[in-house]
Amino acid sequence: MRALPRLLAALIVALPLATIAAVANAAEDPITVLTSDFEDGTAQGWAGRAAETVAHSTAQAHSGTGSLLVSGRTAAWQGPSLDVLDVFEKGTAYTISVWVRMADGSDNARLSVERRTGGTAAYDQVVGNTAVTSGSWVNLTGRYTLATDVEFLRVYVETASTTGSFHIDDVAVSYVPALPIQTGIPSVKDVITEFPVGAAITGAEIVTEHGQLLSKHFDSVTPGNALKWDATEPTENTFTYAQADPLMAYAKSKGLAVRGHTLVWHNQTPSWVFTGADGQPMTATAEDKALLLDRLENHIRNVAGHYGTDIGVWDVVNEVIDESRPDGLRRSSWYTVAGLDYIRTAFRVAREVAPHAKLYINDYNTNVPAKRDFLFGLVQQLKAEGVPIDGVGHQVHININWPTIAETKAMFDKFVPLGIDQQVTEMDVSIYTGDSESFPAPPADRLLKQAYVYRDMFALFRQYPGEITSVTLWGLADDNTWLDTFPVTRKDAPLLFDTRLQAKSAYWGVVDPSKITGSTASPSASSSSPPPGTGTCVVTYRVTGSWPGGFQGDVKITNTGSTALSSWRLGWSFTGGQQISQLWGGAHTQSGAAVTVTNAAWNGTLAAGGSTTVGFLAGWTGGNPAPTAFTLNGTACTVL
Ligand code: XIL
């Protein structure tokens, strides 16, 4: 496996400062590790997955004159593939981009990786079905992180249904080098002592920096997809734990508790589950109902049985409420075939096979009064019947404006009289307040607002130490969040750590709210709103790399005033004896601790809402404390 990131780190330590600037300057830029442009008349190492023909072609080209054509396919899974065993390093997140165009007709194309360990193959989807035609080129771009040791690794493109010929072109694979995690900040789990705090993860997040971040900050972990039906029983009575077992082994080795998610859901459940003995979609007949409940029982016996006491909490059923129905019950295939008996069966079997485990009914938007009340009524009814429900899971997928603390409090209060446990199971705080918004990078004011939401929500959770028995975030860091593609595709930033695994203001909102804005007074803890009138600038200071005696950092300045600046002067104080040797994005002077940076010719105008970043290299001898106060044109800024 290639070792480029480590090599780069070693180079940064070994090189003289002037050379470091060139390397380090580019630290946030992606490094391209593979391209295929098909301009040299060859297939550039691409081959078929079976006996199909893969050849250079000039019939179509996304750029230049050549592309790759796959023809003679006899199955939809056949397509061009490339060996990337020596390219991909375990634990590094790669972005893979490929252009696709049908030769004739239309289909859906998808991008995947096949990997083999000990001869066993697994298939990871990188980009799902995307419509392609012969009329234009379509781009498939997705992220992939290899989590396990492999002896075979190939990227490939296939189609969903037809065997038509298609072209690919301009393939590129790149990654952004990881930063080390911050080890000198408090662990979330040490600060929050009222209940365990967890994070949901997908496979690759147990290795390298992600694994370190997870075990430093969290007490518990939820496999984000690995325990769902499509992952554990893709075909009837064939159980596979290839996705979940590595996560479980990691959790065990680090002493992390595991939330089992989820035994029964209407999503990520293969269609065979709802197909009757006659090959037709099941309906509400006695025969179909009996078969469905048998399948349900078999599934739970196998999956919950496989992990025994290693899983202490199960989301037995997920998202069964639909408050738009008169009876509040979601019309899933489960419900339409089996009525409420699917819920009764699921809890009964889960209790039998995992008597030690706490059994949960889990749902989203449980703060919405109508939904909350239907859920309450259902739990009350089922408990009265003797159905073994131990707790209600509130997903808490929220955003910076919604819901209020009061609504969230009412949600917890509602369930207290039932005498059951409650858990926050999938919390994230989107920076978006509507589907039409999209920011290339998270704006400073949204991140600030988000920090106050995290602060206020955690303060609320901590008021229920007896009732709330754990809080889980739906992800580890902003580099991997389901909200990047849901409800629409755009970059979101809903978690405590940024895309490079560094602590955000949201983290400080949970851990130490006084650090959210440096010296700025904090608003009342019940209002989720940023402090009033905090000047006209926001500054973010980061150390982006360090080595013995030196470090690299950057300072992002945002003009939060309502008028543009035509020139700017930024000031701060380095109290640890740090001395800047080189700075880009402006001109600097340093007198003792006092640093002054004025704009460069090209970034003097800072529009209202606009930002710019200066980067620098500095030496240090003692400690390296971060500056806590910044001024812009003499006025104090909010420090994030
Ligand atoms: C999401 C996963 O995070 C995604 O990777 C997947 O593509 C779809 O499901 N409510 C739930 C979770 O209960 O299972 C969902 O997880 C997010 C919403």
Side-chain angles (χ1 to χ4, degrees):
M1 230 133 291
R2 202 185 45 83
L4 195 65
R6 261 149 215 73
L7 204 124
L8 197 71
L11 271 178
I12 288 178
V13 174
L15 290 175
L17 277 188
T19 325
I20 294 169
V23 177
N25 231 335
E28 282 193 54
D29 295 337
I31 294 176
T32 299
V33 290
L34 182 159
T35 54
S36 300
D37 61 6
F38 308 111
E39 293 304 310
D40 63 357
T42 77
Q44 297 185 338
W46 289 76
R49 306 187 67 213
E52 68 274 37
T53 305
V54 167
H56 181 265
S57 161
T58 51
Q60 291 289 351
H62 172 255
S63 67
T65 54
S67 66
L68 189 76
L69 176 67
V70 57
S71 56
R73 301 164 69 224
T74 55
W77 55 266
Q78 294 175 5
S81 79
L82 184 71
D83 182 359
V84 288
L85 185 61
D86 291 332
V87 177
F88 283 21
E89 188 186 0
K90 195 167 95 172
T92 297
Y94 295 94
T95 299
I96 311 174
S97 166
V98 52
W99 290 86
V100 185
R101 180 178 186 142
M102 296 302 292
D104 311 288
S106 61
D107 202 336
N108 282 294
R110 51 187 182 232
L111 174 66
S112 305
V113 170
E114 178 178 354
R115 61 183 156 91
R116 291 183 202 160
T117 304
T120 303
Y123 306 89
D124 302 319
Q125 189 168 288
V126 181
V127 181
N129 284 344
T130 309
V132 278
T133 67
S134 56
S136 62
W137 287 95
V138 170
N139 183 255
L140 307 184
T141 296
R143 287 174 72 259
Y144 184 71
T145 309
L146 179 65
T148 47
D149 292 320
V150 290
E151 74 264 359
F152 175 105
L153 194 67
R154 292 185 81 91
V155 172
Y156 63 93
V157 180
E158 62 187 324
T159 56
S161 40
T162 72
T163 55
S165 303
F166 64 87
H167 297 263
I168 65 167
D169 200 1
D170 291 336
V171 182
V173 177
S174 62
Y175 73 97
V176 176
L179 287 178
I181 71 156
Q182 296 153 297
T183 51
I185 57 174
S187 298
V188 174
K189 64 180 180 184
D190 293 342
V191 175
I192 309 295
T193 52
E194 290 82 356
F195 40 74
V197 184
I201 58 161
T202 49
E205 290 173 319
I206 56 176
V207 293
T208 55
E209 288 81 7
H210 289 87
Q212 292 158 17
L213 192 69
L214 176 64
S215 59
K216 172 172 169 57
H217 290 287
F218 297 99
D219 305 284
S220 123
V221 66
T222 305
N225 287 315
L227 290 172
K228 290 174 181 171
W229 198 307
D230 58 354
T232 52
E233 194 186 1
T235 54
E236 183 155 18
N237 210 26
T238 303
F239 291 88
T240 150
Y241 302 102
Q243 276 191 50
D245 277 351
L247 307 187
M248 296 299 298
Y250 175 87
K252 207 169 219 179
S253 74
K254 299 289 180 189
L256 296 164
V258 178
R259 287 198 89 259
H261 176 86
T262 172
L263 294 170
V264 186
W265 194 22
H266 56 277
N267 282 337
Q268 291 175 271
T269 303
S271 58
W272 66 259
V273 177
F274 307 113
T275 303
D278 56 0
Q280 296 304 308
M282 287 181 170
T283 56
T285 62
E287 190 195 348
D288 280 350
K289 177 173 173 176
L291 179 58
L292 184 63
L293 294 182
D294 275 355
R295 286 174 174 165
L296 175 62
E297 173 150 4
N298 188 48
H299 181 78
I300 295 177
R301 280 198 190 287
N302 276 278
V303 177
H306 178 76
Y307 290 109
T309 52
D310 288 347
I311 294 185
V313 181
W314 274 106
D315 286 332
V316 176
V317 297
N318 194 31
E319 303 182 352
V320 305
I321 301 293
D322 176 355
E323 71 275 29
S324 71
R325 300 285 172 180
D327 58 3
L329 295 167
R330 178 186 292 276
R331 299 304 191 255
S332 64
S333 299
W334 291 111
Y335 181 81
T336 53
V337 175
L340 275 184
D341 281 345
Y342 83 92
I343 302 179
R344 297 184 178 106
T345 301
F347 277 95
R348 172 181 59 77
V349 176
R351 176 62 94 228
E352 277 173 39
V353 67
H356 61 280
K358 294 279 190 188
L359 305 182
Y360 272 71
I361 181 167
N362 190 47
D363 219 317
Y364 63 96
N365 288 3
T366 48
N367 54 282
V368 172
K371 186 157 188 177
R372 176 195 72 198
D373 294 349
F374 277 128
L375 178 61
F376 175 88
L378 179 65
V379 175
Q380 192 176 42
Q381 175 196 336
L382 292 175
K383 276 188 71 74
E385 291 176 13
V387 176
I389 301 177
D390 298 314
V392 167
H394 305 282
Q395 293 187 4
V396 187
H397 292 294
I398 59 176
N399 72 41
I400 52 164
N401 274 354
W402 178 92
T404 64
I405 296 295
E407 284 164 341
T408 311
K409 183 174 187 318
M411 167 185 95
F412 292 125
D413 287 341
K414 175 83 189 182
F415 291 92
V416 170
L418 282 181
I420 53 166
D421 291 347
Q422 301 189 56
Q423 296 191 343
V424 173
T425 56
E426 305 184 14
M427 182 177 186
D428 44 23
V429 181
S430 175
I431 61 168
Y432 296 106
T433 58
D435 289 358
S436 58
E437 289 182 333
S438 178
F439 305 119
D445 61 333
R446 301 273 170 136
L447 293 177
L448 187 58
K449 191 92 196 291
Q450 180 186 60
Y452 290 116
V453 172
Y454 269 110
R455 177 197 63 180
D456 296 348
M457 285 290 171
F458 267 76
L460 175 71
F461 302 159
R462 296 170 87 171
Q463 289 170 22
Y464 294 81
E467 273 86 23
I468 298 182
T469 55
S470 85
V471 172
T472 291
L473 301 169
W474 203 246
L476 190 55
D478 290 345
D479 65 329
N480 185 14
T481 162
W482 75 299
L483 294 178
D484 283 353
T485 53
F486 181 90
V488 295
T489 297
R490 60 188 170 190
K491 185 67 201 127
D492 208 332
L495 298 163
L496 304 185
F497 300 94
D498 68 16
T499 54
R500 305 196 74 196
L501 314 190
Q502 309 300 296
K504 296 164 58 186
S505 288
Y507 160 87
W508 291 110
V510 173
V511 165
D512 182 357
S514 74
K515 294 212 166 64
I516 293 179
T517 57
S519 57
T520 309
S522 173
S524 103
S526 60
S527 70
S528 282
S529 55
T534 46
T536 54
C537 48
V538 169
V539 163
T540 315
Y541 173 89
R542 301 189 315 163
V543 172
T544 53
S546 63
W547 51 91
F551 71 103
Q552 185 197 347
D554 58 33
V555 184
K556 183 177 177 189
I557 320 155
T558 304
N559 173 13
T560 50
S562 52
T563 51
L565 301 177
S566 54
S567 66
W568 51 261
R569 188 181 75 259
L570 177 71
W572 77 83
S573 186
F574 264 145
T575 57
Q578 302 100 321
Q579 185 69 40
I580 294 184
S581 57
Q582 194 178 348
L583 182 136
W584 51 95
H588 80 287
T589 57
Q590 185 168 358
S591 165
V595 178
T596 305
V597 180
T598 51
N599 58 274
W602 53 270
N603 65 2
T605 303
L606 215 48
S611 19
T612 192
T613 300
V614 297
F616 63 85
L617 291 167
W620 55 283
T621 44
N624 188 13
T628 50
F630 291 80
T631 57
L632 193 67
N633 295 352
T635 306
C637 298
T638 298
V639 184
L640 291 188

